[in-house]
Amino acid sequence: MKRLLFLFALVLAFGAQNICAQSVYGEMTLEYQDGYLFAKTSMPDGGKAWFAVDLAAQATAVTKAFASNMKIQKEQSSNDPLDHGTAQYALGGFGFRGEIVGRTTMPSLSLGGLSFTDASVMVMNQAPTVAGRTIAGILGVDLLRRAEVAVFRYGNAPTLVLKSKTNTAVKGTIEMPMRVVNNAIFVEGTLNGQKVDYLLDTGSPESYLPIKTLRLTGAAAVPNSTREITTLDGEKAKVRGAQVESITLGGEEFTGLPFNIAELPVFGRLPQTLTPVLLGNAFFSSMQFVEINFEGNTVRLKKQ
């Protein structure tokens, strides 16, 4: 329990440091593959590597190899040799557990052509291979919040635009208030006409709901849809397709969207008062853009 409290405090401290750090504005070039968003970077030896861009990650993290010779401030030691500091990342929906060796401040973190100066990051011992790519780190919401507004664009030329103001001249957008629960971004909506809480996760290729939400909304499992997947941790997990008639966001109805039924670790960490649904890139990639307004606490979507 003490270790968990320490890691939680560490995440909050990183977030506070980066919010107060230098603002970052500009356009980051992304690549969208197998349902994941990637930003290109370079290893210390010049080799190519990638960061996964994950709106559901509260703290940006890098691998020990990427941190290289940077001074790492180790976490508090434990007398128990089996008690390693770990953090659960939601990347991929089921996520993975990464061993945290400490933290460091990078003078410049360059991702997809955009640089973050004095970036305070967590340091993982290593990260999994994602979609066949060597992952050097995860870009989280702490660094995204150095801008007032973050805009994700998919399509043929995916980009992440960080800017100071929203473009109010764009018409036909779907706008809704957002709230932060346990450092995750939620918007309210409905599923099959019943109120639910949508967790926005650009790090997950697919969209998921737990059994609790399935029952409360009257959704059902697709017959004979059970399949086995391998998580980023290398473990096996079973998921089923969900029959969802429609969802609404900002009063706008969407139909024919794919959803899966699974008990993701992130669902277990949320307050029982929520009826959670994780919205992943299967949904976001069908939009012209997804805009997160950190200053105005709103989310805007633009249909294709």
Side-chain angles (χ1 to χ4, degrees), residues 8 23 42 47 53 73 78 83-84 93 100 121 156 165 181 184 210 232 238 245 253 271 288 292 298:
F8 180 69
S23 297
S42 297
V53 182
Q73 180 181 337
S78 170
D83 184 16
H84 297 293
I100 304 301
V121 298
N156 295 327
K165 294 182 180 180
V181 180
L232 295 181
K238 290 185 178 180
E245 295 178 4
E253 184 179 59
Q288 285 189 34
I292 313 297
T298 58

Side-chain angles (χ1 to χ4, degrees), residues 14-94:
F14 288 169
Q17 290 177 28
N18 282 302
I19 289 173
C20 298
Q22 180 180 349
S23 297
V24 175
Y25 304 116
E27 183 172 296
M28 180 186 299
T29 300
L30 302 177
E31 292 194 17
Y32 183 54
Q33 181 181 348
D34 295 347
Y36 292 94
L37 287 173
F38 298 100
K40 188 177 179 181
T41 188
S42 297
M43 296 296 289
D45 63 3
K48 183 170 62 176
W50 305 87
F51 269 56
V53 182
D54 189 356
L55 192 61
Q58 293 83 43
T60 297
V62 304
T63 61
K64 190 175 181 180
F66 186 80
S68 186
N69 60 355
M70 298 292 299
K71 181 178 180 181
I72 299 175
Q73 180 181 337
K74 296 185 180 297
E75 61 175 304
Q76 294 177 350
S77 61
S78 170
N79 293 326
D80 183 356
L82 299 178
D83 184 16
H84 297 293
T86 59
Q88 177 72 42
Y89 289 91
L91 187 65
F94 280 90

